[in-house]
């Protein structure tokens, strides 16, 4: 799943490559295209975007928002790639990846494509982001929230700390992978209950969240370059590293869960917590 670091780098690349460009053709490719594309503006993807020029690219939580100037009114394409969606920049003659659902042809001969293996992500065409499901209720950005606000916002949650970190209404943009990384950096067991955390644990979690995400943006930028459909994660410390030595203490990394819900952590550096499923 693309999370804050990947989407932040994608935003940078698209800002450089897309702003000022005009869309000259739009292809919504069946059968997946109509499933992932939601037209909340009632204008039609083809009619709304053909001839529109890209005004800006922004990121909020796990959404990327492309703002178009189309006629007198701005039009927005909000992309929520969820677990399986990716954007790709490609030359028009470059072979399409399987499961490409939307292709926006640009006036410089490139294409912005949306690829999604399982059609879990969504593309919303809208004039008002408040109408996009899941957008308005998002919590603050993890790199912008203050320590004081972080402490206050955490208080009403009573569950396991990993689950809380991945809830967009707490802070926006952290998913399964970076929650594991942040908790490892904070030396907190992922299944510790929020109610079991001391004030010093919460403060350490806040610092770990900021450092981990900020460093990941740099790592992802170096590894991704302009290949925005890639998901470089080799540099992660624990996520998807089960059995490998913990970079801090050498203990083999533990694994709990399966598929998209894998949790990795170090039993020695992150003690405590009841371990589910073991
Ligand atoms: Zn360790």
């Amino acid at each position: 799943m693309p999370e804050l670091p990947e989407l932040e780098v994608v935003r940078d690349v698209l800002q450089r490559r897309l702003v000022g460009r005009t869309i000259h053709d739009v292809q919504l490719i069946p059968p997946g295209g109509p499933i992932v594309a939601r037209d909340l503006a009632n204008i039609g993807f083809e009619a709304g975007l053909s001839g529109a020029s890209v005004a800006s690219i922004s990121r909020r939580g796990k959404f990327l928002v492309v703002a178009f100037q189309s006629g007198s009114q701005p039009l927005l394409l909000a992309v929520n790639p969820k677990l399986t969606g990716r954007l790709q920049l490609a030359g028009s003659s470059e072979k399409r990846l399987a499961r490409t659902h939307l292709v926006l042809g640009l006036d410089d001969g490139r294409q912005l494509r949306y690829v999604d293996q399982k059609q879990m992500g969504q593309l919303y065409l809208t004039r008002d982001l408040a109408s996009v499901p899941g957008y308005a209720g998002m919590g603050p950005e993890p790199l912008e929230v203050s320590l004081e606000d972080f402490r206050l916002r955490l208080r009403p949650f009573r569950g396991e700390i990993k689950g809380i970190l991945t809830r967009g209404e707490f802070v926006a943009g952290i998913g399964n992978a970076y929650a594991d990384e942040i908790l490892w950096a904070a030396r907190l067991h992922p299944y510790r209950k929020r109610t079991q955390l001391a004030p010093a644990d919460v403060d350490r979690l806040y610092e770990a969240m900021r450092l981990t995400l900020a460093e990941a943006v740099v790592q992802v930028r170096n590894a991704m370059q302009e290949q925005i459909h890639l998901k470089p994660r080799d540099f992660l410390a624990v996520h998807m590293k089960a059995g490998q030595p913990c970079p801090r203490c050498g203990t083999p990394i533990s694994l709990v869960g399966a598929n998209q819900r894998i949790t990795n952590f170090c039993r020695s550096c992150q003690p405590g917590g009841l371990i589910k499923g073991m």
Side-chain angles (χ1 to χ4, degrees), residues 246 249 266 269:
C246 165
C249 75
C266 172
C269 298

Side-chain angles (χ1 to χ4, degrees), residues 228-251:
I228 58 173
H229 57 291
L230 301 180
K231 194 165 68 170
R233 288 188 166 173
D234 291 347
F235 60 88
L236 298 185
V238 291
H239 189 70
M240 302 304 280
K241 305 276 176 159
Q244 298 182 38
C246 165
R248 198 160 44 208
C249 75
T251 303

Side-chain angles (χ1 to χ4, degrees), residues 4-163:
L4 184 152
E6 290 98 5
L7 290 176
E8 193 56 30
V9 175
V10 172
R11 189 200 64 81
D12 281 351
V13 172
L14 295 184
Q15 180 78 24
R16 254 193 333 269
R17 293 294 171 198
L18 255 55
V19 171
R21 292 283 161 211
T22 299
I23 307 295
H24 67 67
D25 71 282
V26 179
Q27 298 172 61
L28 213 49
I29 300 156
I35 296 170
V36 300
R38 295 268 185 271
D39 177 15
L40 306 176
N42 289 317
I43 187 173
F45 271 71
E46 291 87 346
L49 295 179
S50 299
S53 64
V54 178
S56 68
I57 318 281
S58 55
R59 180 197 59 79
R60 175 82 174 93
K62 294 176 193 161
F63 286 85
L64 271 181
V65 180
V66 185
F68 295 93
Q69 199 60 51
S70 156
S72 55
Q73 277 186 300
L75 190 62
L76 306 164
L77 178 66
V79 181
N80 183 11
K82 298 214 178 138
L83 288 170
T84 55
R86 313 277 172 87
L87 289 166
Q88 182 194 16
L89 270 178
S92 53
S93 57
E94 229 171 288
K95 193 169 182 294
R96 273 185 205 159
L97 296 173
R99 315 277 178 172
T100 296
H101 302 303
L102 174 72
V103 175
L104 300 180
L106 305 163
D107 58 358
D108 65 353
R110 288 175 196 241
Q111 295 181 338
L112 178 65
R113 302 174 181 175
Y114 178 76
V115 185
D116 195 333
Q117 290 301 321
K118 296 195 171 158
Q119 298 158 21
M120 291 174 85
Q122 298 276 268
L123 307 170
Y124 298 99
L125 192 62
T126 184
R127 296 199 189 277
D128 176 13
L129 289 170
S131 67
V132 173
Y135 196 93
M138 272 189 286
E141 288 291 323
L143 294 174
E144 290 169 13
V145 66
S146 69
L147 173 59
E148 198 172 32
D149 197 19
F150 184 82
R151 289 174 180 147
L152 278 175
R153 299 184 65 87
L154 192 56
R155 214 166 282 166
F157 294 94
R158 311 193 65 79
E160 292 161 349
I161 191 60
K162 177 170 178 182

Side-chain angles (χ1 to χ4, degrees), residues 145-217:
V145 66
S146 69
L147 173 59
E148 198 172 32
D149 197 19
F150 184 82
R151 289 174 180 147
L152 278 175
R153 299 184 65 87
L154 192 56
R155 214 166 282 166
F157 294 94
R158 311 193 65 79
E160 292 161 349
I161 191 60
K162 177 170 178 182
I164 298 169
L165 269 184
T166 59
R167 288 180 67 161
E169 65 267 38
F170 171 52
V171 286
I174 300 172
N176 201 39
Y178 283 99
D180 281 357
E181 295 296 298
I182 290 165
L183 290 167
W184 177 80
R187 300 177 184 243
L188 291 174
H189 193 290
Y191 298 142
R192 289 265 298 273
K193 291 278 192 346
R194 195 282 300 162
T195 48
Q196 299 169 328
L197 298 184
D201 293 329
V202 173
D203 292 5
R204 214 167 57 249
L205 177 62
Y206 174 80
E207 287 306 327
M209 172 183 77
R210 294 168 59 88
L211 263 174
T212 302
L213 294 174
E215 283 174 8
V217 170

